[in-house]
Amino acid sequence: MPRSITFTRTRQSAGPHQQSENNPHVAQPIVQYRAMQSFPHYSPSPVSQLTYVDYVQTSYPSRASVHNEYDEESDNRTDIGAEPSLQFARATWWDALLGLYASRGNHSQLALSSTVREATAQQIYSDLHFIFRESNFWFSFVNISRFFTRLHDPVQRQTVQPSLILALLALATFMQSSERDGGAKGRAWALRLRDEAQGALEASLSARWIDESLAHAAWVIAFFEISAHPRHSTDRVRSALSMLDSLIRSMSLMSLDQDDPRVTRFETRSVPVVSTPTSHTQSLPVNWDNHSHPHPHPQLGVGIPPPTSSCNCSSYTLVSHAPNAREITPMWLTTPAWADEHNEGEVRREECRRIVWSSMMLTAGHTMYISACSGFTPIDLYIHDPSNYAVLFPGEPVMAGSPQASKETVWALYARIMLLWHSCVRMRHAQDVSQDEKARFAVSAWLELDRIEAALGKHTCEIERSHLFQGREFMFNARMCISHEFRRYIPQATANANLLFHRQKAEEWLHHQTSVAEKATYGLQNITGTNLNLSRRPFFIFWFMSQMSRALTLWTCDRSLTIALDLCKTLMQPIEYLMSLWPCAEQRRRYQELREGLINACHVAGHPPPRPPSSSLSVDTSSSLL
């Protein structure tokens, strides 16, 4: 069975040694923080120098056996001199970080004056505040109050995973190192910090110092890898995602609420359906004839009713409970609040739930990009299987008094959409499933998407907008994936919604993406309502490229959809702008392939070709994108 986490309330008065002994996550063997060479649970990446964790079985010795191994009274103890203990490493990692950070300013790591130490510590805190201030809602698995309380307290700081701090600093540095800011030197420093974070993470695993914040560190490293940095590659991304997936699985984070009656469970290889009163009334027979629908938006048998009621999601947002979030985490304002009455253990449980859902969203974004590009096979992860989930939906814990409504908040509906997306991708690529099973799955999934879309239509809050309407994006992508099965398995005579997509949905998506691309040209605040700086969003490059690739796919399926070619040309502007700021050889190679595909499509369609790229993609300091 996987290793699971037990939560206890931290005793603030305990000393460092006492905290280590009472902490159920910390084993006691002595170890140095160093890169692992032969840890049995690891295997090297075939291309990069990174390592990734396989499924970590619970071969860890119990705390009792570890204690006996190093008990002074034990007859089996060794007389070989001990290495510096784990406790020593926990007590000194902050000093090591100060020395590392100070070395960038040409200060000696061996002897830092009190003035240099203070200035360096302030720079670290400044960079950490920057990443939380500039990061999007995916990062909201961190409880900011608990994070900085532990980091500022010299005693509690010893329980903080060094890899998490290093990974956050690496990302903060990278986001401030475009060609307009820190430049190549800044990006090189970010990569150095990212490698230090990887080494610290592996050292913690080697020492069996495993807790939920180690998964946080793996998440941040994975986020770094999906961005357009100089060493970006498919192998590095897959390695980082595999590490994250294995940590979540080994700690049983996805089974955290398995004994909670509120939790929703899903069957293996079935559509992840959440039973609600509305879902039963809307499960109508599938009518494949679009012309038989009286309403103006036919959707394979299920009509979407107009909004009939308001929602109360806004009452449970972070900003409604913590107004100071506007200054500290302005991009997280519409994420679920942290319940005020939660103790230390409950806050940690909620952090575990959130890292699970944030990991699912992160990997969903990766598979969405991969699915839009030819020649790539989606990575199959443990967190992609809905049947492995036994954890409350986002926002569900804070809405304890409304068990039914908590499953239809925007946060829960978005999570359900992404579960559906993952299940659709897995089913499409399954080799041991019959055609009839795939067809039944496709019909059921389409109906569930209709029900979720109807539920989203009832919301009057601004959460979807602040989330960049990401859920709608995945709904369309899931329908494209599903309709692939419709086209193959459903008789052509009865399927007016043929080809690779539902045409009306395709047109709606193309118009929406055109609007998003045009607004992005003048700043993302026009889309989200929040002042976002596109020049500090290197991870958006691949998102824009996936939209361009998907638009070309739509045109290939139906060449009358010339708006798809117009969308591709519009998307080129934000893509090339970000390319000018964030040099990445792998990204430029992929973009060139996309551009050549667009040129060929324009030639076939008789459309003007796209404009030539700007000379060497140099930075235009007067660009309206800034």
Side-chain angles (χ1 to χ4, degrees), residues 223-236:
F223 188 88
F224 186 101
E225 289 301 331
I226 67 172
S227 299
H229 64 78
R231 298 181 193 168
H232 176 90
S233 70
T234 300
D235 290 292
R236 288 177 66 104

Side-chain angles (χ1 to χ4, degrees), residues 15 30 40 97 111 148 269 289 453 499 600:
I30 49 181
L97 176 61
F148 280 108
R269 283 190 170 177
D289 184 1
E453 189 170 29
L499 301 177
N600 293 335

Side-chain angles (χ1 to χ4, degrees), residues 43-53 194 198 202 221-222 224-227 229-244 366 369-370 375-379 381 542 584 586-587 589-590:
S43 55
S45 168
V47 174
S48 69
Q49 295 301 312
L50 298 178
T51 56
Y52 62 93
V53 65
R194 180 254 177 266
Q198 181 75 23
E202 292 173 351
I221 290 173
F224 186 101
E225 289 301 331
I226 67 172
S227 299
H229 64 78
R231 298 181 193 168
H232 176 90
S233 70
T234 300
D235 290 292
R236 288 177 66 104
V237 172
R238 285 174 176 264
S239 177
L241 293 177
S242 295
M243 171 73 84
L244 172 62
H366 175 67
Y369 171 75
I370 292 298
F376 290 96
T377 302
I379 185 173
L381 300 174
F542 293 108
C584 174
E586 178 66 13
Q587 180 272 327
R589 181 189 64 79
R590 297 178 190 176

Side-chain angles (χ1 to χ4, degrees), residues 321-334:
H321 287 238
N324 62 339
R326 296 183 185 277
E327 290 73 41
I328 302 172
T329 54
M331 310 303 173
W332 305 5
L333 301 183
T334 56

Side-chain angles (χ1 to χ4, degrees), residues 256-536:
L256 192 66
D257 299 313
Q258 61 184 352
D259 298 324
D260 193 317
R262 296 173 294 169
V263 77
T264 302
R265 301 300 300 267
F266 305 107
E267 298 292 333
T268 303
R269 283 190 170 177
S270 65
V271 177
V273 175
V274 176
S275 297
T276 64
T278 54
S279 68
H280 293 298
T281 58
Q282 291 182 342
S283 296
L284 305 178
V286 180
N287 187 335
W288 299 107
D289 184 1
N290 289 341
H291 299 289
S292 66
H293 290 274
H295 50 78
H297 301 291
Q299 298 209 18
L300 291 180
V302 179
I304 295 181
T308 57
S309 60
S310 60
C311 67
N312 60 351
C313 295
S314 298
S315 302
Y316 298 96
T317 58
L318 177 64
V319 69
S320 67
H321 287 238
N324 62 339
R326 296 183 185 277
E327 290 73 41
I328 302 172
T329 54
M331 310 303 173
W332 305 5
L333 301 183
T334 56
T335 60
W338 299 78
D340 299 335
E341 68 277 8
H342 282 182
N343 58 30
E344 172 79 3
E346 286 304 310
V347 169
R348 292 180 65 187
R349 288 179 67 88
E350 178 61 10
E351 284 191 328
C352 288
R353 297 185 187 102
R354 295 191 182 206
I355 192 60
V356 168
W357 294 115
S358 288
S359 299
M360 185 197 65
M361 288 188 286
L362 180 67
T363 59
H366 175 67
T367 56
M368 183 179 74
Y369 171 75
I370 292 298
S371 67
C373 303
S374 59
F376 290 96
T377 302
I379 185 173
D380 190 20
L381 300 174
Y382 185 77
I383 59 177
H384 288 173
D385 187 351
S387 66
N388 294 327
Y389 282 75
V391 61
L392 295 174
F393 285 120
E396 200 167 0
V398 78
M399 297 180 67
S402 306
Q404 193 56 57
S406 65
K407 298 186 187 298
E408 295 207 345
T409 62
V410 171
W411 309 301
L413 291 171
Y414 270 34
R416 289 165 58 183
I417 291 169
M418 292 184 194
L419 284 173
L420 253 171
W421 161 250
H422 283 307
S423 65
C424 289
V425 173
R426 297 181 81 247
M427 178 59 74
R428 179 174 178 178
H429 291 276
Q431 301 296 321
D432 56 346
V433 179
S434 69
Q435 295 185 356
D436 288 341
E437 287 179 292
K438 286 192 175 185
R440 285 193 295 270
F441 180 94
V443 173
S444 179
W446 195 287
L447 293 175
E448 179 65 6
L449 284 167
D450 283 338
R451 286 189 285 265
I452 293 175
E453 189 170 29
L456 282 174
K458 296 178 182 179
H459 281 271
T460 57
C461 57
E462 290 292 315
I463 295 177
E464 274 208 275
R465 183 187 180 194
S466 65
H467 285 41
L468 280 171
F469 299 96
Q470 193 176 65
R472 307 279 180 166
E473 187 76 27
F474 280 96
M475 277 199 295
F476 176 77
N477 295 336
R479 283 188 170 113
M480 283 189 68
C481 184
I482 294 168
S483 59
H484 174 81
E485 306 308 328
F486 284 147
R487 182 170 64 94
R488 293 177 60 189
Y489 303 133
I490 295 181
Q492 188 70 24
T494 60
N496 287 335
N498 52 24
L499 301 177
L500 189 62
F501 57 93
H502 190 278
R503 182 183 173 92
Q504 181 180 338
K505 288 297 178 185
E507 291 176 341
E508 291 174 359
W509 181 84
L510 289 167
H511 284 292
H512 171 69
Q513 293 304 323
T514 299
S515 175
V516 168
E518 290 173 346
K519 289 178 179 179
T521 303
Y522 301 101
L524 289 173
Q525 67 271 16
N526 294 304
I527 307 171
T528 65
T530 307
N531 186 21
L532 296 178
N533 189 342
L534 185 60
S535 67
R536 287 179 171 170

Side-chain angles (χ1 to χ4, degrees), residues 107 215 318 435 533 540 579 594:
H107 296 288
L318 177 64
Q435 295 185 356
N533 189 342
F540 273 7
M579 286 172 62
L594 273 177

